[in-house]
Amino acid sequence: MYKAFFGLSDNPFSIAPNPHYLFLSDRHREALAHLTYGLGETGGFVLLTGEVGTGKTTVSRCLLNQLPENTDTAFILNPSLTELELLATLCDELGIVYEKDPSLKQLTDLLSQFLLSNHEKGRNTVLIIDEAQHLRAEVLEQLRLLTNLETDTKKLLQVILIGQPELQQLLRRQELRQLAQRITARYHLLPLTPEEVSLYVQHRLQVAGRHEPLFNSGSIKALHKFSGGIPRLINLLCERALMASYAQSKVPIDRKMVNSAASEVLGEDVKQANYLLPVAAVSAIALTGVIAFTLLSGSKVTDTMNQGEHSPAEQVQTSSSELAKPVSPTSSGQRVLQAAIEQSREIDTAYASILGLWGKVPYLGLSACQSAHQQGLSCFQQQGNWNSLIRLNFPAVVYLIDGQQQAFYGTVVSRHGEQLLLQLNEQQLWVDRAWFTRHFSGTFEILWQAPEGQPREIGQGASAEQIQWLENSLAKIDNTAPRLVDSFDAQLEGKLMRFQREHGLRADAIAGSQTLVQLNLYLSAQGPRLVEAKRNY
């Protein structure tokens, strides 16, 4: 009813999927690149996670459009299945005929025959499972067994798992460690930044026929505040705000209209809405003054104080008069912690902190990774645990989960033994390993300075110079003397495969792009470190 009023030819904010309204943010493009790379690596599993409504389906559809024509694709949209039901559904999707009430073995044999036949015909087979966080562990293990079918160079079935963040936790279970090691690419899709929200809204309006701005800057900030950058919620809020604007015959749409829309759509109390400072301001606060305190188990704090030893927070205090005295985990300390968590719901704040550690700043209108790239740095996202983070020894933006399973973000700044200095917004806190492990989601991102002129891969056909570089690099990481080599011999191959297995990479004895990134992270001498002493490889 309002289309003529706004000069629109269509409803721009329908939540129904429409390829004409496709909008790929920088993060969506990064996710697409990761998944495309993973499939290109001929591995078994590719993983895409993200909160509800962040655009995982959008990325998967773009990926499908980029698959070669010689690809047979199977979709499973309801993964709450038993092993037998999963294989039967996969057969249905691929057009494989089977008898009534088949056994698990019969279905497995039929699928194996199909995959081998497809390979002989030069065809690829890809299985996509949406809402994969609902998969049972035994079903995932059945999938892993199915991907055991392979040639010397590739898996005959490639699986794309798409799900909410709980999927990451599921794959960390001990009984699924073999499957987790077969994931060749993974990406956690984040919500849109405020700048991307503005671009997203304007894009959809333009597709619907309106090229003049309709939402002012205040309304965009409010949209980001209430939607959290999630496209599906942005659509709902914008739709309701358009109706309010039409009813009042008033343009542009302002913050009050979005506040009203949020009250109706989300039930939000907007009277005390408190907008975050711009990223640059947060960065300045984080760099000019912080508060540090110790968050350890009660017994450990007591022991430390009784012995008269200095805690890491006290050591920090001696280097800066601006730091407050450390406090034990009393109710007061917990209140400070909870307040810091509540102020750390936006990942851009953590990115501002890590850029500051490198002596860089966020650029207005650019994402954090774009800002880093403009200043000669690269972003690298990885899945891992405490040991993965410590081994790399780089400051990192970490994805954390509070007691209510809500996401928050911090920057790991430094390490002292079994403690990490964690920055949450403008606060710095010493946290112990147990606390960090309990709240860490498994995803972290680091900044690093990539070397110039790096080859795409180093394998059997590489030059003698590249092979010697690989030997030297692995020896340095192993803290051993390098050999003089002129060929990719069995010993070098063994060392490379061991390195790949240790880092959850495909152990194919080829130093591809992911392996080379991991190697260079260890070898890099540029930038800040968690521990500035000699690195322990």
Side-chain angles (χ1 to χ4, degrees):
M1 58 183 175
Y2 55 67
K3 289 190 289 189
F5 178 76
F6 294 116
L8 299 168
S9 59
D10 191 16
N11 180 358
F13 298 108
S14 169
I15 61 173
N18 186 335
H20 294 297
Y21 287 93
L22 175 64
F23 174 82
L24 290 179
S25 70
D26 289 336
R27 289 168 180 171
H28 287 89
R29 295 182 192 278
E30 286 179 5
L32 185 59
H34 275 70
L35 299 187
T36 302
Y37 166 79
L39 291 179
E41 284 286 283
T42 66
F45 290 87
V46 173
L47 180 66
L48 175 63
T49 56
E51 291 291 349
V52 176
T54 48
K56 300 185 295 294
T57 302
T58 298
V59 172
S60 64
R61 289 185 176 182
C62 290
L63 180 67
L64 284 176
N65 292 334
Q66 295 184 11
L67 291 177
E69 293 184 1
N70 64 334
T71 302
D72 291 319
T73 307
F75 288 92
I76 294 181
L77 302 177
N78 178 19
S80 298
L81 306 168
T82 65
E83 300 102 302
L84 188 65
E85 291 170 337
L86 176 85
L87 296 186
T89 303
L90 181 52
C91 286
D92 293 338
E93 287 288 314
L94 296 173
I96 300 173
V97 179
Y98 52 89
E99 298 178 0
K100 185 179 180 181
D101 298 325
S103 67
L104 201 62
K105 182 180 183 305
Q106 288 171 332
L107 292 176
T108 302
D109 290 344
L110 287 171
L111 283 165
S112 297
Q113 293 169 13
F114 176 87
L115 294 172
L116 285 168
S117 175
N118 246 20
H119 176 66
E120 291 172 356
K121 297 174 185 176
R123 300 190 62 81
N124 303 315
T125 310
V126 175
L127 168 61
I128 300 175
I129 303 180
D130 204 359
E131 301 296 338
Q133 72 274 4
H134 296 303
L135 286 169
R136 304 174 187 176
E138 57 269 22
V139 175
L140 281 166
E141 177 62 12
Q142 182 63 50
L143 275 175
R144 183 189 70 82
L145 294 173
L146 199 58
T147 61
N148 278 342
L149 196 61
E150 59 187 352
T151 67
D152 291 338
T153 58
K154 65 176 291 187
K155 298 284 186 182
L156 300 190
L157 176 66
Q158 294 178 296
V159 182
I160 302 174
L161 300 175
I162 303 173
Q164 295 170 27
E166 302 92 282
L167 178 58
Q168 296 181 19
Q169 302 297 324
L170 175 62
L171 294 173
R172 293 171 66 183
R173 291 170 59 168
Q174 181 70 10
E175 65 266 34
L176 295 176
R177 63 188 183 280
Q178 288 182 292
L179 186 151
Q181 291 172 0
R182 295 190 180 185
I183 298 175
T184 56
R186 59 179 82 207
Y187 194 88
H188 183 74
L189 191 59
L190 294 172
L192 301 179
T193 65
E195 293 77 17
E196 289 169 338
V197 169
S198 178
L199 294 172
Y200 174 83
V201 170
Q202 189 59 29
H203 167 77
R204 295 188 75 96
L205 288 171
Q206 288 177 351
V207 172
R210 182 184 177 95
H211 296 275
E212 298 81 12
L214 186 54
F215 289 75
N216 67 20
S217 59
S219 67
I220 294 295
K221 291 178 181 178
L223 280 172
H224 182 262
K225 168 70 176 179
F226 292 115
S227 70
I230 295 177
R232 191 177 301 166
L233 291 179
I234 295 172
N235 285 358
L236 291 171
L237 292 170
C238 286
E239 170 71 16
R240 194 60 58 91
L242 283 177
M243 293 178 65
S245 176
Y246 171 72
Q248 299 174 31
S249 298
K250 178 183 176 181
V251 291
I253 294 172
D254 57 22
R255 178 180 293 179
K256 290 183 179 179
M257 294 180 190
V258 176
N259 289 352
S260 177
S263 296
E264 295 179 33
V265 174
L266 306 174
E268 294 279 354
D269 180 7
V270 301
K271 293 181 180 180
Q272 300 298 325
N274 198 6
Y275 294 93
L276 293 175
L277 292 172
V279 171
V282 172
S283 180
I285 292 173
L287 293 175
T288 57
V290 296
I291 300 174
F293 67 88
T294 306
L295 179 67
L296 305 170
S297 64
S299 60
K300 188 168 185 178
V301 171
T302 302
D303 291 344
T304 299
M305 290 182 176
N306 288 342
Q307 295 168 12
E309 296 172 353
H310 293 292
S311 72
E314 290 173 309
Q315 295 167 14
V316 173
Q317 183 189 0
T318 62
S319 63
S320 173
S321 60
E322 295 178 343
L323 300 182
K325 292 183 179 180
V327 298
S328 61
T330 60
S331 58
S332 175
Q334 290 300 328
R335 285 196 298 271
V336 174
L337 168 63
Q338 190 57 42
I341 289 175
E342 289 303 323
Q343 294 170 359
S344 303
R345 303 294 184 183
E346 302 287 339
I347 196 169
D348 287 336
T349 306
Y351 273 125
S353 299
I354 197 171
L355 281 167
L357 293 173
W358 282 82
K360 312 296 183 184
V361 294
Y363 286 170
L364 186 64
L366 297 181
S367 69
C369 285
Q370 286 177 325
S371 296
H373 182 72
Q374 290 292 323
Q375 298 171 83
L377 300 177
S378 298
C379 290
F380 181 65
Q381 185 185 92
Q382 186 166 334
Q383 299 289 321
N385 53 23
W386 168 281
N387 291 328
S388 309
L389 196 63
I390 299 310
R391 189 165 52 207
L392 285 176
N393 199 28
F394 277 88
V397 171
V398 288
Y399 297 36
L400 304 163
I401 299 173
D402 65 15
Q404 287 69 49
Q405 298 301 302
Q406 299 297 312
F408 66 105
Y409 308 93
T411 304
V412 176
V413 175
S414 181
R415 178 174 72 91
H416 179 84
E418 292 287 281
Q419 300 173 42
L420 294 176
L421 184 59
L422 179 68
Q423 181 151 341
L424 298 175
N425 199 16
E426 72 267 28
Q427 307 254 15
Q428 287 192 349
L429 313 91
W430 282 102
V431 300
D432 66 7
R433 181 171 182 168
W435 187 95
F436 182 80
T437 301
R438 188 164 62 250
H439 294 280
F440 185 40
S441 72
T443 299
F444 64 93
E445 293 200 40
I446 66 173
L447 299 180
W448 71 298
Q449 192 165 331
E452 297 181 0
Q454 185 72 53
R456 292 180 61 87
E457 69 174 37
I458 301 176
Q460 290 289 348
S463 67
E465 181 182 6
Q466 292 174 350
I467 291 172
Q468 185 64 59
W469 178 88
L470 183 60
E471 164 67 27
N472 295 347
S473 300
L474 290 169
K476 185 173 182 180
I477 292 170
D478 291 337
N479 199 23
T480 60
R483 302 174 300 135
L484 184 62
V485 294
D486 55 8
S487 64
F488 206 104
D489 60 14
Q491 188 172 344
L492 177 57
E493 182 177 296
K495 288 198 292 186
L496 176 59
M497 292 177 68
R498 184 172 65 253
F499 177 85
Q500 291 173 321
R501 283 191 293 268
E502 288 175 353
H503 294 82
L505 302 168
R506 180 175 172 80
D508 55 4
I510 299 174
S513 58
Q514 285 192 321
T515 300
L516 290 173
V517 167
Q518 284 283 358
L519 284 168
N520 279 300
L521 285 173
Y522 283 111
L523 301 170
S524 174
Q526 304 298 320
R529 294 294 188 273
L530 297 181
V531 178
E532 292 296 342
K534 183 178 180 180
R535 302 185 66 185
N536 180 14
Y537 294 106

